[in-house]
Amino acid sequence: MSNLAVLPIVIPLISGILLALLHKKIQLVRVLAQLFTGINLVVAIYIMYVVQKNGSIILESGGWDAPYSIVLVADLLSILLVVTTNIVALACVFYAPKSLSKQQEEFYFYTFFFMLISGVSGAFLTGDLFNLFVFFEVLLMASYALIVLGGGKVQLRESIKYVLINLFSSMLFVTTIAFLYSVVGTVNMAQIAQRVQEVDQKGILTTIAILLFFVFGTKAALFPLYYWLPKPYIVPNPVISALFGALLTKVGIYAILRVFTLIFVHDTDFTHNFFIWIAGFTLIFGAIGALSTNNIKLVISYNIIPAVGFMIMGIGLYNEAALSGTIYYLVHDMIIKAALFLLVGSVAYLAGTSDLRKIKGLIHHYPLLGWLFFLSAFVLAGIPPFSGFIGKLLLLQGGLQNDEVVIVIIALLSSLLILLSMIRIFVRGFWGEKDESIRVDKKAARAFTMPIVFLLFFSVLLGVGAELFYPMIENIAAYLLNPELYIESVLKE
Amino acid sequence: MEIIMSILAGILFTTGVYNLLQKQLLRIVIGTALISHGAHLFILTMGKLKRGAPPILEYGVSEYTDPLPQALILTSIVISFGVTSFLLVLAYRASKENNTDNMDQMRGTENE
């Protein structure tokens, strides 16, 4: 029964290998990829159902007992994120055939796509810090291959920066694990947590904690480590940008959330207050960045940064409302970022340029696309009743509970700036006179909108049906605030 | 012994970072390779160096070398080997396409 936890990692892995063998038969590969992603989503939802009913699933690989084996831990938080990952994947796999050229598809796009999903799911599910590094590398290797797919001049130039910054932070990650191993003598997260608790997190452990935060902060694009993110994310094909924007930074945030609610929770005055500062700067600089450019893809890319700021703010505040807000926002942001990258990708394709100054009056040609963009701008900025609102409400509530008024004001202000950056695209690009010079391609537009509608459906559902999801999110937050539960479930003491 | 190894790892890191900050693409690749060597050496050192003891845990053996750091290094070496070879090809292609291997000229400000 406990073998269930490995399925979200193994199914994409096997699919990826299988599709690599068939890569020339592109029609077959497309159908199979869609089928496998669908199966993976169903399996993930089933696991979530089991976890909800019976509690966390712990898989001890090789039959060794917990601290000695590599464990996979499917608790409610990780499986919720795996389900969200698969929803995003399903939308992307249906968008891909219209967006990618035949060559790109034949050049193992689907293989790397499945490897990426496998790595992301693995990073969410693992209960072992070194294993987390390995899964980070799996997803990064897949992302390196995806970001150079197609290989134009600009694309290669930006890929170099992306690969270098990730390589450097990975090496720091290994070094930090070595430090931690020399202090606590284990890499199992539950056992690390137990031992850190025993020695009451002395100075050296807090130093290691901040080093780990630096590593994850680089991957999650926090201030002041976000400068590498915006440009490399816009150079590949929109469907690849959507996968990156939705999944990669979120894995970094998940790692911070896990490590700083489970392991390093004994010196919150220092570590978590530090996060609030970082969150404030991330929010401000990300929102300013989004306003600084006329490239519509770059606007969305910059918008990743304040979203990450919101999540880190919740982790910094460290109370039940704020953590529920972070989890809500995490799920919401994975879905809406994918939808937005696909949307601007479609707009850039249909208008023939991603320069906002050259786009006008698109709504006359593509009304549905225009209103979808309008809707997603509202979802992103957190206008009620959509999903962004619930997450932000909980975060602000958590902020006020801790009397952190400054961060609350910054969060509200940056929300306004985010809305401005989105509405700017809508007003300039969609409104205005009808541009007769555009070659209208209704068929492509219809094909593009289907996956976007699918994603926005979940976004709206998360907001309107908040009553449905909130109890579960609240459960997760309460569970995170009590690390004993995780330790007991893994080590079984 | 641990001290010497730590210093050696430190030197590898320093030279690695120095190379990473250069403008020439090939030097940067060499820098990342040096840093990864430093990191691997560091893992080995952190697991406490011991000589003459078997790395395998058996019943009744009291003296043994910790096998975990070796397993960690092996994994890490394989990964950094793969990434470095990928990076070399990427650097070659990128410098060919852009007609330069100078990072100053590869900043890319034209699409701002």
Side-chain angles (χ1 to χ4, degrees):
Chain A
M1 201 58 185
S2 68
N3 276 344
L4 270 179
V6 82
L7 285 180
I9 307 170
V10 167
I11 293 173
L13 199 67
I14 293 172
S15 323
I17 295 166
L18 190 67
L19 295 187
L21 301 174
L22 298 168
H23 74 117
K24 285 286 176 198
K25 302 191 179 73
I26 202 66
Q27 294 294 343
L28 179 68
V29 167
R30 277 177 197 163
V31 176
L32 282 180
Q34 287 160 2
L35 183 71
F36 288 143
T37 322
I39 291 173
N40 204 18
L41 178 62
V42 172
V43 168
I45 290 173
Y46 174 68
I47 298 172
M48 185 154 89
Y49 167 75
V50 172
V51 171
Q52 179 109 21
K53 217 172 85 184
N54 303 338
S56 309
I57 300 176
I58 317 289
L59 173 64
E60 293 157 333
S61 58
W64 291 78
D65 280 343
Y68 303 107
S69 66
I70 295 170
V71 285
L72 294 177
V73 183
D75 59 6
L76 215 43
L77 171 64
S78 38
I79 201 66
L80 175 69
L81 294 175
V82 169
V83 169
T84 319
T85 304
N86 281 305
I87 290 172
V88 171
L90 192 62
C92 286
V93 87
F94 275 95
Y95 189 91
K98 287 95 184 179
S99 169
L100 290 161
S101 71
K102 194 159 173 286
Q103 268 169 323
Q104 284 172 322
E105 272 187 287
E106 274 184 3
F107 227 93
Y108 308 107
F109 166 77
Y110 292 104
T111 302
F112 294 127
F113 166 81
F114 278 116
M115 294 295 166
L116 186 77
I117 301 301
S118 172
V120 171
S121 305
F124 286 146
L125 286 172
T126 185
D128 183 291
L129 205 58
F130 192 78
N131 209 222
L132 181 66
F133 161 74
V134 173
F135 278 119
F136 260 115
E137 287 307 306
V138 171
L139 74 93
L140 283 173
M141 277 310 272
S143 77
Y144 298 159
L146 284 175
I147 201 171
V148 295
L149 198 65
K153 196 172 155 185
V154 181
Q155 202 175 344
L156 284 168
R157 193 187 67 205
E158 298 300 329
S159 313
I160 284 272
K161 298 165 195 170
Y162 173 80
V163 174
L164 281 174
I165 194 85
N166 276 304
L167 184 56
F168 183 68
S169 69
S170 292
M171 282 304 128
L172 271 184
F173 193 5
V174 175
T175 318
T176 317
I177 290 172
F179 270 125
L180 198 56
Y181 183 73
S182 79
V183 179
V184 294
T186 175
V187 286
N188 181 300
M189 289 207 271
Q191 210 181 8
I192 295 174
Q194 204 182 29
R195 296 206 171 153
V196 169
Q197 198 178 20
E198 277 165 16
V199 299
D200 201 28
Q201 198 176 345
K202 296 252 166 48
I204 178 89
L205 280 167
T206 307
T207 315
I208 292 170
I210 293 298
L211 249 169
L212 265 184
F213 178 72
F214 179 83
V215 171
F216 297 142
T218 315
K219 311 237 187 231
L222 293 171
F223 174 86
L225 307 163
Y226 66 81
Y227 53 87
W228 61 271
L229 180 129
K231 277 192 194 161
Y233 271 38
I234 64 167
V235 289
N237 194 282
V239 62
I240 297 168
S241 300
L243 280 171
F244 282 19
L247 303 179
L248 297 194
T249 49
K250 308 307 176 294
V251 179
I253 285 291
Y254 165 79
I256 294 176
L257 182 63
R258 185 58 96 195
V259 167
F260 285 92
T261 56
L262 175 66
I263 301 173
F264 301 109
V265 289
H266 308 288
D267 195 5
T268 47
D269 277 350
F270 176 69
T271 49
H272 290 62
N273 276 339
F274 174 66
F275 296 169
I276 296 178
W277 279 91
I278 296 282
F281 284 116
T282 311
L283 284 167
I284 297 169
F285 283 92
I288 291 174
L291 285 171
S292 70
T293 170
N294 274 318
N295 185 332
I296 52 172
K297 287 183 178 174
L298 209 50
V299 172
I300 304 302
S301 195
Y302 266 114
N303 261 318
I304 294 176
I305 296 158
V308 170
F310 277 115
M311 293 172 222
I312 202 76
M313 168 185 157
I315 300 171
L317 291 168
Y318 199 56
N319 57 34
E320 195 175 317
L323 280 181
S324 336
T326 299
I327 298 158
Y328 218 102
Y329 209 87
L330 196 57
V331 174
H332 143 82
D333 199 62
M334 282 166 88
I335 293 174
I336 192 67
K337 278 288 140 56
L340 276 170
F341 270 109
L342 295 182
L343 262 171
V344 290
S346 318
V347 170
Y349 177 86
L350 295 169
T353 171
S354 58
D355 191 340
L356 189 53
R357 286 165 294 196
K358 292 178 192 149
I359 309 174
K360 61 176 177 180
L362 271 182
I363 204 156
H364 299 290
H365 299 298
Y366 309 106
L368 181 60
L369 204 62
W371 291 116
L372 282 178
F373 191 87
F374 188 68
L375 179 70
S376 55
F378 271 31
V379 173
L380 182 70
I383 307 286
F386 302 121
S387 55
F389 171 70
I390 316 282
K392 273 177 194 169
L393 183 73
L394 287 166
L395 283 172
L396 298 182
Q397 195 188 337
L400 291 175
Q401 271 175 25
N402 280 18
D403 291 324
E404 298 275 358
V405 184
V406 181
I407 190 75
V408 168
I409 293 170
I410 292 176
L412 285 170
L413 266 179
S414 68
S415 295
L416 276 181
L417 293 180
I418 291 168
L419 184 63
L420 179 63
S421 74
M422 296 301 295
I423 288 300
R424 214 166 59 113
I425 298 182
F426 183 73
V427 169
R428 292 232 220 126
F430 283 96
W431 281 357
E433 303 160 34
K434 196 170 178 175
D435 189 350
E436 298 295 351
S437 63
I438 291 182
R439 197 173 50 83
V440 181
D441 190 351
K442 289 269 182 200
K443 202 168 156 246
R446 213 172 307 127
F448 284 146
T449 42
M450 273 306 290
I452 298 169
V453 169
F454 172 74
L455 285 173
L456 282 177
F457 165 75
F458 280 99
S459 255
V460 173
L461 184 72
L462 264 178
V464 178
E467 287 282 321
L468 223 65
F469 299 100
Y470 182 65
M472 187 171 116
I473 306 272
E474 203 182 17
N475 265 345
I476 298 175
Y479 166 82
L480 285 180
L481 279 173
N482 189 0
E484 289 295 328
L485 291 174
Y486 184 96
I487 297 172
E488 269 167 30
S489 72
V490 175
L491 298 180
K492 297 189 189 69
E493 281 167 354
Chain B
M1 193 65 182
E2 272 92 354
I3 296 289
I4 300 171
M5 291 283 270
S6 299
I7 292 171
L8 184 58
I11 291 171
L12 282 170
F13 261 93
T14 327
T15 47
V17 170
Y18 175 77
N19 274 304
L20 206 59
L21 296 174
Q22 299 294 304
K23 283 172 187 164
Q24 207 186 346
L25 205 46
L26 189 60
R27 282 173 191 265
I28 295 175
V29 179
I30 292 171
T32 58
L34 285 173
I35 288 179
S36 64
H37 292 328
H40 299 152
L41 209 58
F42 193 67
I43 303 176
L44 192 68
T45 318
M46 284 294 112
K48 294 246 167 57
L49 299 166
K50 229 182 257 175
R51 293 177 72 178
I56 314 146
L57 186 60
E58 274 179 19
Y59 285 115
V61 175
S62 56
E63 278 281 305
Y64 61 89
T65 311
D66 189 354
L68 197 62
Q70 301 172 9
L72 300 188
I73 296 174
L74 204 59
T75 318
S76 179
I77 286 176
V78 173
I79 290 171
S80 70
F81 171 68
V83 176
T84 307
S85 53
F86 175 80
L87 191 58
L88 277 168
V89 177
L90 178 63
Y92 173 72
R93 282 276 298 169
S95 57
K96 268 267 160 129
E97 290 279 326
N98 287 288
N99 282 324
T100 175
D101 68 341
N102 188 334
M103 286 308 270
D104 261 354
Q105 287 161 14
M106 288 169 81
R107 279 187 62 187
T109 42
E110 81 274 7
N111 52 356
E112 269 176 358

